[in-house]
Coordinates of all heavy atoms in Angstrom, one line a residue:
M1 N -35.4 1.4 -15.7 CA -34.3 0.6 -16.2 C -34.6 -0.9 -16.1 O -35.0 -1.3 -15.0 CB -33.1 1.0 -15.4 CG -31.8 0.3 -15.8 SD -30.5 1.2 -15.0 CE -29.6 -0.2 -14.6
I2 N -34.5 -1.6 -17.2 CA -34.8 -3.0 -17.2 C -33.5 -3.8 -17.1 O -32.5 -3.5 -17.7 CB -35.5 -3.3 -18.6 CG1 -36.8 -2.6 -18.7 CG2 -35.7 -4.8 -18.6 CD1 -37.4 -2.6 -20.0
T3 N -33.6 -4.8 -16.2 CA -32.4 -5.6 -16.0 C -32.8 -7.0 -16.4 O -33.9 -7.4 -16.2 CB -31.9 -5.6 -14.6 OG1 -33.0 -6.0 -13.7 CG2 -31.4 -4.2 -14.1
S4 N -31.8 -7.8 -16.8 CA -32.1 -9.2 -17.1 C -32.3 -10.0 -15.8 O -31.9 -9.6 -14.7 CB -31.0 -9.7 -18.0 OG -29.8 -9.8 -17.3
K5 N -32.8 -11.2 -16.0 CA -33.0 -12.1 -14.8 C -31.6 -12.5 -14.2 O -31.6 -12.6 -13.0 CB -33.7 -13.3 -15.3 CG -35.1 -13.1 -15.7 CD -35.9 -14.4 -16.2 CE -37.3 -14.1 -16.5 NZ -37.9 -15.4 -17.0
I6 N -30.7 -12.7 -15.1 CA -29.3 -13.0 -14.5 C -28.8 -11.9 -13.6 O -28.3 -12.2 -12.5 CB -28.3 -13.4 -15.8 CG1 -28.9 -14.6 -16.5 CG2 -27.0 -13.6 -15.2 CD1 -28.1 -14.8 -17.8
E7 N -28.9 -10.7 -14.0 CA -28.3 -9.6 -13.3 C -29.1 -9.6 -12.0 O -28.5 -9.2 -10.9 CB -28.4 -8.3 -14.0 CG -27.4 -8.2 -15.2 CD -27.5 -6.9 -15.9 OE1 -28.4 -6.1 -15.6 OE2 -26.8 -6.8 -16.9
R8 N -30.4 -9.7 -12.0 CA -31.1 -9.6 -10.7 C -30.8 -10.7 -9.8 O -30.7 -10.5 -8.6 CB -32.6 -9.7 -11.0 CG -33.2 -8.3 -11.5 CD -34.6 -8.3 -11.5 NE -35.0 -8.7 -12.9 CZ -36.0 -9.3 -13.4 NH1 -36.9 -9.7 -12.5 NH2 -36.2 -9.6 -14.7
K9 N -30.4 -11.9 -10.2 CA -30.1 -13.0 -9.4 C -28.7 -12.9 -8.8 O -28.5 -13.0 -7.6 CB -30.1 -14.3 -10.1 CG -31.6 -14.8 -10.4 CD -31.5 -16.2 -11.1 CE -32.9 -16.7 -11.5 NZ -32.9 -17.9 -12.2
K10 N -27.8 -12.5 -9.6 CA -26.3 -12.4 -9.1 C -26.2 -11.2 -8.3 O -25.3 -11.2 -7.4 CB -25.4 -12.4 -10.3 CG -25.3 -13.7 -11.0 CD -24.3 -13.7 -12.1 CE -24.1 -15.0 -12.7 NZ -23.1 -15.0 -13.7
G11 N -26.8 -10.1 -8.5 CA -26.5 -8.9 -7.8 C -25.3 -8.1 -8.4 O -24.8 -8.5 -9.4
K12 N -24.8 -7.2 -7.5 CA -23.6 -6.4 -8.0 C -22.3 -7.2 -7.8 O -22.2 -8.1 -6.9 CB -23.5 -5.1 -7.2 CG -24.6 -4.1 -7.5 CD -24.3 -2.8 -6.8 CE -25.3 -1.8 -7.2 NZ -25.1 -0.6 -6.5
R13 N -21.3 -6.9 -8.6 CA -20.1 -7.7 -8.6 C -19.3 -7.1 -7.4 O -19.3 -6.0 -7.0 CB -19.3 -7.3 -9.9 CG -18.4 -8.4 -10.2 CD -17.7 -8.0 -11.5 NE -18.1 -9.0 -12.5 CZ -17.5 -9.2 -13.6 NH1 -16.5 -8.4 -14.0 NH2 -17.8 -10.1 -14.5
K14 N -18.6 -8.0 -6.7 CA -17.8 -7.7 -5.6 C -16.5 -7.0 -6.0 O -16.0 -7.3 -7.1 CB -17.5 -9.0 -4.8 CG -16.8 -8.8 -3.5 CD -16.5 -10.0 -2.8 CE -15.9 -9.8 -1.5 NZ -15.6 -11.1 -0.8
K15 N -16.1 -5.9 -5.3 CA -14.9 -5.2 -5.7 C -13.7 -6.1 -5.4 O -13.6 -6.8 -4.5 CB -14.8 -3.9 -4.8 CG -15.7 -2.9 -5.2 CD -15.5 -1.6 -4.3 CE -16.6 -0.6 -4.7 NZ -16.3 0.6 -4.0
T16 N -12.7 -6.0 -6.3 CA -11.5 -6.8 -6.2 C -10.6 -6.2 -5.2 O -10.3 -5.0 -5.2 CB -10.8 -7.0 -7.6 OG1 -10.5 -5.7 -8.0 CG2 -11.7 -7.7 -8.5
K17 N -10.0 -7.1 -4.3 CA -8.9 -6.6 -3.4 C -7.6 -6.8 -4.0 O -6.6 -6.0 -3.7 CB -9.0 -7.4 -2.2 CG -10.0 -7.0 -1.1 CD -9.8 -7.7 0.2 CE -10.6 -7.1 1.2 NZ -10.4 -7.8 2.5
F18 N -7.4 -7.8 -4.8 CA -6.0 -8.2 -5.3 C -6.1 -8.2 -6.9 O -7.1 -8.4 -7.5 CB -5.7 -9.5 -4.8 CG -5.6 -9.6 -3.3 CD1 -6.6 -10.2 -2.6 CD2 -4.6 -9.0 -2.6 CE1 -6.6 -10.2 -1.1 CE2 -4.5 -9.1 -1.2 CZ -5.5 -9.7 -0.5
V19 N -5.0 -8.0 -7.4 CA -4.8 -8.0 -8.8 C -3.8 -9.0 -9.2 O -2.7 -9.2 -8.6 CB -4.4 -6.6 -9.4 CG1 -4.1 -6.6 -10.8 CG2 -5.3 -5.5 -9.1
K20 N -4.1 -9.9 -10.2 CA -3.2 -10.9 -10.6 C -2.2 -10.3 -11.6 O -2.6 -9.6 -12.6 CB -4.0 -12.0 -11.3 CG -3.1 -13.2 -11.7 CD -4.0 -14.3 -12.2 CE -3.2 -15.5 -12.5 NZ -4.0 -16.6 -12.9
I21 N -1.0 -10.4 -11.4 CA 0.2 -9.9 -12.2 C 1.0 -11.1 -12.8 O 1.4 -11.9 -11.9 CB 1.0 -8.9 -11.4 CG1 0.2 -7.7 -11.0 CG2 2.2 -8.5 -12.4 CD1 1.0 -6.7 -10.2
V22 N 1.2 -11.1 -14.0 CA 2.0 -12.2 -14.6 C 3.2 -11.6 -15.3 O 3.1 -10.6 -16.0 CB 1.1 -12.9 -15.7 CG1 1.9 -14.0 -16.3 CG2 -0.1 -13.4 -15.0
F23 N 4.4 -12.1 -14.9 CA 5.6 -11.7 -15.6 C 6.5 -12.9 -15.9 O 6.3 -13.9 -15.2 CB 6.4 -10.6 -14.9 CG 6.7 -11.0 -13.5 CD1 8.0 -11.5 -13.3 CD2 5.9 -10.9 -12.4 CE1 8.4 -11.8 -12.0 CE2 6.3 -11.2 -11.2 CZ 7.6 -11.7 -10.9
R24 N 7.3 -12.8 -16.8 CA 8.2 -13.9 -17.2 C 9.6 -13.7 -16.6 O 10.2 -12.5 -16.7 CB 8.2 -14.0 -18.7 CG 6.8 -14.2 -19.2 CD 6.8 -13.9 -20.7 NE 7.2 -15.1 -21.5 CZ 6.6 -15.8 -22.3 NH1 5.3 -15.5 -22.5 NH2 7.1 -16.8 -22.9
I25 N 10.3 -14.7 -16.2 CA 11.7 -14.7 -15.8 C 12.4 -15.8 -16.5 O 11.8 -16.9 -16.7 CB 11.8 -14.8 -14.2 CG1 11.2 -16.0 -13.7 CG2 11.2 -13.6 -13.6 CD1 11.5 -16.3 -12.2
P26 N 13.7 -15.7 -16.7 CA 14.5 -16.8 -17.3 C 14.5 -18.0 -16.3 O 14.3 -17.9 -15.1 CB 15.8 -16.2 -17.5 CG 15.8 -14.8 -17.3 CD 14.5 -14.5 -16.5
M27 N 14.8 -19.2 -16.9 CA 14.9 -20.4 -16.1 C 16.0 -20.2 -15.1 O 15.8 -20.8 -13.9 CB 15.2 -21.6 -17.0 CG 14.8 -22.9 -16.5 SD 13.0 -22.9 -16.1 CE 12.8 -24.5 -15.9
S28 N 17.1 -19.6 -15.3 CA 18.2 -19.5 -14.4 C 17.7 -18.7 -13.1 O 18.1 -19.1 -12.0 CB 19.4 -18.8 -15.0 OG 19.0 -17.5 -15.4
R29 N 16.9 -17.6 -13.3 CA 16.4 -16.9 -12.2 C 15.3 -17.7 -11.4 O 15.3 -17.6 -10.2 CB 15.8 -15.6 -12.7 CG 16.7 -14.6 -13.1 CD 17.5 -14.0 -12.0 NE 18.3 -13.0 -12.5 CZ 19.2 -12.3 -11.7 NH1 19.3 -12.6 -10.4 NH2 19.9 -11.4 -12.2
K30 N 14.6 -18.5 -12.1 CA 13.6 -19.4 -11.4 C 14.3 -20.4 -10.5 O 13.9 -20.5 -9.3 CB 12.8 -20.1 -12.4 CG 11.7 -21.0 -11.8 CD 10.8 -21.7 -12.8 CE 9.7 -22.5 -12.1 NZ 10.1 -23.8 -11.7
K31 N 15.4 -21.0 -11.0 CA 16.1 -21.8 -10.2 C 16.7 -21.1 -8.9 O 16.9 -21.6 -7.8 CB 17.3 -22.5 -11.0 CG 16.7 -23.6 -11.9 CD 17.8 -24.1 -12.8 CE 17.2 -25.1 -13.8 NZ 18.2 -25.7 -14.7
Q32 N 17.2 -19.9 -9.2 CA 17.8 -19.1 -8.1 C 16.8 -18.8 -7.2 O 17.0 -18.8 -5.9 CB 18.4 -17.8 -8.7 CG 19.2 -17.0 -7.8 CD 19.8 -15.7 -8.4 OE1 19.3 -15.4 -9.6 NE2 20.8 -15.2 -7.8
L33 N 15.6 -18.5 -7.5 CA 14.5 -18.2 -6.6 C 14.1 -19.4 -5.8 O 13.9 -19.3 -4.6 CB 13.3 -17.6 -7.4 CG 12.0 -17.3 -6.6 CD1 12.3 -16.2 -5.6 CD2 10.8 -17.0 -7.5
E34 N 14.1 -20.6 -6.5 CA 13.7 -21.8 -5.7 C 14.8 -22.1 -4.7 O 14.5 -22.5 -3.5 CB 13.6 -22.9 -6.7 CG 12.4 -22.9 -7.6 CD 12.4 -23.9 -8.7 OE1 13.4 -24.6 -8.9 OE2 11.3 -24.0 -9.4
R35 N 16.1 -21.8 -5.0 CA 17.2 -22.1 -4.0 C 17.0 -21.1 -2.9 O 17.2 -21.5 -1.7 CB 18.5 -22.0 -4.7 CG 18.9 -23.1 -5.5 CD 20.4 -23.1 -5.9 NE 20.8 -21.8 -6.5 CZ 20.9 -21.6 -7.8 NH1 20.6 -22.4 -8.7 NH2 21.3 -20.3 -8.2
Y36 N 16.7 -19.9 -3.1 CA 16.5 -18.9 -2.1 C 15.3 -19.3 -1.2 O 15.3 -19.2 0.0 CB 16.1 -17.6 -2.7 CG 15.8 -16.5 -1.8 CD1 16.7 -15.7 -1.0 CD2 14.4 -16.2 -1.5 CE1 16.3 -14.8 -0.2 CE2 14.0 -15.2 -0.6 CZ 15.0 -14.5 0.1 OH 14.7 -13.5 1.0
C37 N 14.2 -19.8 -1.7 CA 13.1 -20.2 -1.0 C 13.4 -21.4 -0.1 O 12.9 -21.5 1.1 CB 11.9 -20.6 -1.9 SG 11.2 -19.1 -2.7
V38 N 14.2 -22.4 -0.6 CA 14.5 -23.5 0.2 C 15.4 -23.1 1.3 O 15.2 -23.5 2.5 CB 15.2 -24.6 -0.7 CG1 15.9 -25.7 0.2 CG2 14.3 -25.2 -1.6
A39 N 16.4 -22.2 1.1 CA 17.3 -21.7 2.1 C 16.6 -20.9 3.2 O 16.9 -21.0 4.4 CB 18.4 -20.9 1.5
N40 N 15.5 -20.2 2.9 CA 14.8 -19.4 3.8 C 13.5 -19.9 4.3 O 12.7 -19.3 5.0 CB 14.6 -17.9 3.2 CG 15.9 -17.2 3.0 OD1 16.7 -17.1 4.0 ND2 16.2 -16.7 1.9
D41 N 13.2 -21.2 3.9 CA 12.0 -21.9 4.3 C 10.7 -21.0 4.0 O 9.9 -20.7 4.9 CB 12.1 -22.2 5.8 CG 11.0 -23.2 6.1 OD1 10.6 -24.1 5.3 OD2 10.5 -23.1 7.3
T42 N 10.6 -20.7 2.7 CA 9.4 -19.9 2.3 C 8.9 -20.4 0.9 O 9.6 -21.3 0.4 CB 9.8 -18.4 2.3 OG1 8.5 -17.7 2.1 CG2 10.8 -18.0 1.3
T43 N 7.9 -19.8 0.4 CA 7.4 -20.1 -0.9 C 7.8 -19.0 -1.9 O 8.0 -17.9 -1.4 CB 5.8 -20.3 -0.9 OG1 5.3 -19.1 -0.6 CG2 5.5 -21.3 0.1
P44 N 7.8 -19.3 -3.1 CA 8.2 -18.3 -4.1 C 7.2 -17.1 -4.1 O 7.6 -15.9 -4.2 CB 8.0 -19.0 -5.5 CG 8.3 -20.4 -5.2 CD 7.7 -20.6 -3.8
R45 N 5.9 -17.4 -3.9 CA 4.9 -16.3 -3.8 C 5.2 -15.3 -2.7 O 5.2 -14.1 -2.8 CB 3.5 -16.9 -3.7 CG 2.4 -15.9 -3.5 CD 1.1 -16.5 -3.2 NE 0.3 -16.3 -4.3 CZ -0.8 -17.0 -4.6 NH1 -1.2 -17.9 -3.7 NH2 -1.5 -16.7 -5.6
I46 N 5.5 -15.9 -1.5 CA 5.8 -15.0 -0.3 C 7.1 -14.3 -0.5 O 7.2 -13.1 -0.2 CB 5.7 -15.8 0.9 CG1 4.3 -16.4 1.2 CG2 6.2 -15.0 2.1 CD1 4.2 -17.3 2.4
A47 N 8.0 -14.9 -1.0 CA 9.4 -14.4 -1.3 C 9.2 -13.2 -2.2 O 9.8 -12.1 -2.0 CB 10.4 -15.4 -1.8
L48 N 8.6 -13.4 -3.4 CA 8.4 -12.3 -4.3 C 7.7 -11.1 -3.7 O 7.9 -10.0 -4.0 CB 7.7 -12.8 -5.5 CG 8.6 -13.7 -6.4 CD1 7.8 -14.3 -7.6 CD2 9.8 -12.9 -7.0
R49 N 6.6 -11.5 -3.0 CA 5.8 -10.4 -2.3 C 6.7 -9.5 -1.3 O 6.6 -8.3 -1.3 CB 4.7 -10.9 -1.6 CG 3.7 -9.9 -1.1 CD 2.5 -10.5 -0.4 NE 1.9 -11.6 -1.1 CZ 1.3 -12.7 -0.6 NH1 1.2 -12.8 0.8 NH2 0.8 -13.6 -1.2
R50 N 7.5 -10.2 -0.5 CA 8.4 -9.5 0.4 C 9.4 -8.7 -0.4 O 9.7 -7.5 0.0 CB 9.2 -10.5 1.3 CG 8.4 -11.1 2.3 CD 9.2 -12.0 3.3 NE 8.3 -12.7 4.2 CZ 8.6 -13.8 4.8 NH1 9.8 -14.4 4.6 NH2 7.8 -14.4 5.6
I51 N 10.1 -9.2 -1.4 CA 11.0 -8.5 -2.2 C 10.4 -7.3 -2.8 O 11.0 -6.1 -2.8 CB 11.6 -9.5 -3.3 CG1 12.4 -10.5 -2.6 CG2 12.5 -8.6 -4.3 CD1 12.8 -11.6 -3.5
I52 N 9.2 -7.4 -3.4 CA 8.5 -6.2 -4.0 C 8.2 -5.2 -3.0 O 8.3 -4.0 -3.2 CB 7.4 -6.7 -4.8 CG1 7.8 -7.5 -6.1 CG2 6.4 -5.5 -5.3 CD1 6.7 -8.2 -6.8
N53 N 7.6 -5.6 -1.9 CA 7.2 -4.7 -0.8 C 8.4 -3.9 -0.3 O 8.3 -2.7 0.0 CB 6.5 -5.4 0.3 CG 5.1 -5.8 -0.1 OD1 4.5 -5.2 -1.0 ND2 4.6 -6.7 0.6
D54 N 9.5 -4.6 -0.1 CA 10.7 -3.9 0.5 C 11.3 -2.9 -0.6 O 11.6 -1.8 -0.2 CB 11.8 -4.9 0.7 CG 11.6 -5.8 2.0 OD1 10.6 -5.3 2.8 OD2 12.2 -6.8 2.2
Y55 N 11.2 -3.3 -1.8 CA 11.8 -2.4 -2.8 C 10.8 -1.1 -3.0 O 11.3 -0.1 -3.0 CB 11.7 -3.1 -4.2 CG 12.2 -2.2 -5.4 CD1 13.5 -2.0 -5.6 CD2 11.2 -1.6 -6.2 CE1 13.9 -1.2 -6.6 CE2 11.6 -0.7 -7.2 CZ 13.0 -0.5 -7.5 OH 13.3 0.3 -8.4
L56 N 9.5 -1.3 -2.9 CA 8.6 -0.2 -3.0 C 8.7 0.7 -1.8 O 8.6 1.9 -1.9 CB 7.2 -0.7 -3.2 CG 6.9 -1.3 -4.6 CD1 5.5 -1.8 -4.6 CD2 7.1 -0.3 -5.7
D57 N 8.9 0.1 -0.6 CA 8.9 0.9 0.6 C 10.3 1.9 0.6 O 10.2 3.0 1.0 CB 9.1 0.0 1.8 CG 7.7 -0.6 2.1 OD1 6.7 -0.1 1.6 OD2 7.7 -1.5 2.9
E58 N 11.4 1.3 0.0 CA 12.5 2.1 0.0 C 12.6 3.1 -1.2 O 13.1 4.1 -1.1 CB 13.8 1.1 -0.2 CG 14.1 0.3 0.9 CD 15.2 -0.7 0.7 OE1 15.8 -0.7 -0.4 OE2 15.3 -1.6 1.6
N59 N 12.0 2.8 -2.3 CA 12.1 3.6 -3.5 C 10.9 4.3 -4.0 O 11.0 5.1 -4.9 CB 12.6 2.7 -4.7 CG 13.9 2.1 -4.4 OD1 14.8 2.7 -3.9 ND2 14.0 0.8 -4.6
A60 N 9.8 4.2 -3.3 CA 8.6 4.8 -3.8 C 8.6 6.3 -3.4 O 9.2 6.6 -2.2 CB 7.3 4.2 -3.1
P61 N 8.2 7.2 -4.2 CA 8.2 8.6 -3.8 C 7.2 8.9 -2.6 O 6.3 8.1 -2.4 CB 7.7 9.4 -5.0 CG 7.0 8.3 -5.8 CD 7.6 7.0 -5.5
A62 N 7.5 9.9 -1.9 CA 6.7 10.2 -0.7 C 5.3 10.6 -1.2 O 5.0 11.1 -2.2 CB 7.2 11.4 0.0
V63 N 4.3 10.2 -0.3 CA 2.9 10.6 -0.6 C 2.7 12.1 -0.6 O 3.3 12.8 0.2 CB 2.0 9.9 0.4 CG1 0.5 10.2 0.2 CG2 2.2 8.4 0.4
N64 N 1.8 12.6 -1.4 CA 1.6 14.0 -1.4 C 1.1 14.5 -0.1 O 0.0 14.2 0.4 CB 0.5 14.4 -2.4 CG 1.1 14.2 -3.9 OD1 2.2 14.0 -4.0 ND2 0.1 14.1 -4.8
T65 N 2.0 15.2 0.6 CA 1.6 15.8 1.9 C 1.3 17.4 1.6 O 2.2 18.1 1.3 CB 2.6 15.6 3.0 OG1 3.9 16.1 2.5 CG2 2.8 14.1 3.3
K66 N 0.1 17.7 1.9 CA -0.3 19.1 1.7 C 0.1 20.0 2.9 O -0.2 19.5 4.0 CB -1.7 19.3 1.3 CG -2.1 18.6 0.0 CD -3.6 18.7 -0.3 CE -3.9 17.9 -1.6 NZ -5.4 18.0 -1.8
E67 N 0.7 21.1 2.6 CA 0.9 22.0 3.7 C -0.4 22.7 4.1 O -1.2 23.1 3.3 CB 1.8 23.2 3.2 CG 3.2 22.6 2.8 CD 4.1 22.5 4.1 OE1 3.9 23.2 5.1 OE2 4.9 21.6 4.0
P68 N -0.7 22.8 5.4 CA -1.9 23.4 5.9 C -1.8 24.9 5.7 O -0.7 25.5 5.7 CB -2.0 23.1 7.4 CG -0.6 22.8 7.8 CD 0.1 22.1 6.5
P69 N -2.9 25.6 5.4 CA -2.9 27.0 5.3 C -2.4 27.7 6.5 O -2.4 27.1 7.6 CB -4.3 27.4 5.0 CG -5.0 26.1 4.7 CD -4.2 25.0 5.3
K70 N -1.7 28.9 6.4 CA -1.1 29.6 7.6 C -2.3 30.0 8.6 O -1.9 30.0 9.8 CB -0.4 30.8 7.1 CG 0.8 30.6 6.4 CD 1.6 31.7 6.1 CE 2.9 31.5 5.3 NZ 3.7 32.6 5.0
N71 N -3.5 30.2 8.2 CA -4.5 30.6 9.1 C -5.2 29.4 9.8 O -6.1 29.7 10.5 CB -5.5 31.6 8.4 CG -6.2 30.8 7.3 OD1 -5.9 29.8 6.9 ND2 -7.3 31.5 6.8
Q72 N -4.7 28.2 9.6 CA -5.4 27.0 10.2 C -4.8 26.8 11.6 O -3.6 26.9 11.8 CB -5.1 25.8 9.4 CG -5.9 24.6 9.9 CD -5.7 23.4 8.9 OE1 -5.3 23.5 7.8 NE2 -6.0 22.2 9.5
L73 N -5.7 26.5 12.5 CA -5.3 26.2 13.9 C -4.5 24.9 13.9 O -4.8 24.0 13.1 CB -6.5 26.0 14.8 CG -7.2 27.3 15.2 CD1 -8.4 27.0 16.0 CD2 -6.3 28.3 15.8
K74 N -3.5 24.8 14.8 CA -2.7 23.6 14.9 C -3.0 22.9 16.2 O -2.4 22.9 17.2 CB -1.2 24.0 15.0 CG -0.8 24.8 13.7 CD 0.7 25.2 13.8 CE 1.1 25.9 12.6 NZ 2.5 26.3 12.7
L75 N -4.3 22.3 16.1 CA -4.8 21.7 17.4 C -4.1 20.4 17.6 O -4.1 20.0 18.8 CB -6.3 21.4 17.1 CG -7.2 22.7 16.9 CD1 -8.6 22.2 16.6 CD2 -7.2 23.5 18.2
F76 N -3.6 19.7 16.6 CA -3.1 18.4 16.9 C -1.6 18.3 16.7 O -1.0 17.2 16.4 CB -3.8 17.4 16.0 CG -5.3 17.3 16.2 CD1 -6.1 17.8 15.4 CD2 -5.8 16.8 17.4 CE1 -7.5 17.8 15.5 CE2 -7.1 16.7 17.6 CZ -8.0 17.3 16.7
D77 N -0.8 19.4 16.9 CA 0.6 19.4 16.7 C 1.1 18.8 18.1 O 0.9 19.3 19.2 CB 1.2 20.8 16.6 CG 1.2 21.1 15.1 OD1 0.9 20.3 14.3 OD2 1.5 22.3 14.9
L78 N 1.9 17.7 18.0 CA 2.4 17.1 19.2 C 3.5 17.9 19.8 O 3.7 17.8 21.1 CB 3.0 15.6 18.8 CG 1.9 14.7 18.3 CD1 2.5 13.4 17.9 CD2 0.8 14.5 19.3
K79 N 4.3 18.6 19.1 CA 5.4 19.5 19.7 C 4.8 20.6 20.6 O 5.4 21.0 21.5 CB 6.3 20.1 18.6 CG 5.6 21.0 17.7 CD 6.5 21.5 16.7 CE 5.8 22.4 15.7 NZ 6.6 22.8 14.6
D80 N 3.5 21.0 20.3 CA 2.9 22.0 21.2 C 2.4 21.4 22.5 O 2.3 22.2 23.5 CB 1.7 22.7 20.4 CG 2.2 23.6 19.3 OD1 3.4 24.0 19.4 OD2 1.4 23.8 18.3
Y81 N 2.2 20.1 22.6 CA 1.7 19.6 23.8 C 2.9 19.5 24.9 O 2.7 19.3 26.0 CB 1.2 18.1 23.5 CG -0.2 18.2 23.0 CD1 -0.4 17.9 21.6 CD2 -1.3 18.5 23.7 CE1 -1.7 17.9 21.1 CE2 -2.5 18.6 23.2 CZ -2.7 18.3 21.9 OH -4.0 18.3 21.3
D82 N 4.1 19.6 24.4 CA 5.2 19.6 25.3 C 5.2 20.9 26.1 O 5.9 21.0 27.1 CB 6.5 19.4 24.5 CG 6.7 18.1 23.8 OD1 5.9 17.1 24.3 OD2 7.4 18.0 22.9
H83 N 4.6 21.9 25.6 CA 4.6 23.2 26.3 C 3.4 23.5 27.1 O 2.7 24.5 27.0 CB 4.7 24.3 25.3 CG 6.0 24.2 24.4 ND1 7.3 24.4 25.0 CD2 6.2 23.9 23.2 CE1 8.2 24.2 24.0 NE2 7.6 23.9 23.0
G84 N 2.9 22.4 27.9 CA 1.8 22.7 28.7 C 0.5 22.1 28.2 O -0.5 22.2 28.9
G85 N 0.4 21.4 27.1 CA -0.7 20.7 26.6 C -1.6 21.6 25.8 O -2.6 21.0 25.3
I86 N -1.5 22.8 25.6 CA -2.3 23.6 24.8 C -1.5 24.4 23.8 O -0.3 24.6 24.0 CB -3.3 24.6 25.5 CG1 -2.4 25.5 26.4 CG2 -4.2 23.8 26.4 CD1 -3.2 26.6 27.1
Q87 N -2.1 25.0 22.8 CA -1.4 25.8 21.9 C -1.1 27.2 22.5 O -2.1 27.9 22.7 CB -2.1 25.9 20.5 CG -1.4 26.7 19.5 CD -2.1 26.7 18.2 OE1 -3.1 26.1 18.1 NE2 -1.6 27.5 17.3
T88 N 0.1 27.5 22.8 CA 0.3 28.8 23.4 C 0.9 29.9 22.5 O 1.0 31.0 22.8 CB 1.3 28.6 24.6 OG1 2.5 28.0 24.1 CG2 0.7 27.8 25.7
R89 N 1.4 29.4 21.3 CA 2.0 30.2 20.3 C 1.0 30.6 19.2 O 0.2 29.8 18.8 CB 3.2 29.6 19.7 CG 4.3 29.4 20.7 CD 5.5 28.8 20.0 NE 5.2 27.5 19.8 CZ 5.8 26.6 19.0 NH1 6.8 27.0 18.3 NH2 5.4 25.3 18.8
M90 N 1.1 31.8 18.8 CA 0.3 32.2 17.6 C 1.1 32.6 16.5 O 2.0 33.5 16.7 CB -0.6 33.4 18.1 CG -2.1 33.5 17.9 SD -2.9 32.0 17.5 CE -4.4 32.8 17.2
E91 N 1.1 32.1 15.4 CA 1.9 32.4 14.3 C 1.1 33.1 13.3 O 0.0 32.6 12.8 CB 2.5 31.1 13.6 CG 3.5 30.4 14.5 CD 4.0 29.1 13.8 OE1 3.8 28.9 12.6 OE2 4.5 28.3 14.5
L92 N 1.4 34.3 13.0 CA 0.7 35.1 12.0 C 1.5 35.5 10.8 O 2.7 35.6 10.8 CB 0.1 36.4 12.7 CG -0.9 36.1 13.8 CD1 -1.3 37.4 14.5 CD2 -2.1 35.4 13.2

């Protein structure tokens, strides 16, 4: 595989951690956001990030939690540690 001189010098591209999102809001909402930021001593970027994170935490669907198979040992069940520290029940 032949690579150009530029690719050899630069190396692989670094993976991105953040994504830039652009959206438009009316001027009245921008003024409202600025008043909110002044009242709470924050910046619009931080305020929007907090608002979005709170909204997603409350309204996002639960992550897919797979049920373990019935024949799998329950080595790390915390409720079983209350009964002497080992698994004493066998569910078949």
Side-chain angles (χ1 to χ4, degrees):
M1 185 167 133
I2 299 173
T3 58
S4 67
K5 291 179 183 179
I6 296 172
E7 288 178 1
R8 278 188 267 151
K9 286 183 182 179
K10 288 186 177 181
K12 289 187 177 180
R13 206 177 245 195
K14 188 177 180 181
K15 291 184 180 179
T16 58
K17 275 188 168 181
F18 302 102
V19 177
K20 186 175 184 178
I21 298 175
V22 179
F23 60 95
R24 300 164 81 114
I25 58 173
M27 201 61 164
S28 59
R29 288 289 185 184
K30 182 178 184 279
K31 290 178 183 177
Q32 189 178 17
L33 177 65
E34 289 172 352
R35 285 195 306 266
Y36 173 83
C37 291
V38 169
N40 292 308
D41 193 32
T42 186
T43 63
R45 172 186 253 167
I46 293 172
L48 288 172
R49 192 179 311 147
R50 284 183 188 160
I51 292 166
I52 291 171
N53 286 338
D54 289 343
Y55 178 81
L56 290 176
D57 288 342
E58 292 175 6
N59 298 316
V63 178
N64 292 342
T65 55
K66 296 180 181 176
E67 294 280 331
K70 289 185 178 182
N71 61 350
Q72 181 176 346
L73 288 176
K74 299 179 181 178
L75 296 176
F76 300 106
D77 278 350
L78 296 177
K79 63 183 177 184
D80 290 333
Y81 284 107
D82 295 338
H83 301 291
I86 59 171
Q87 183 178 355
T88 55
R89 293 180 286 165
M90 229 19 185
E91 294 178 14
L92 298 175

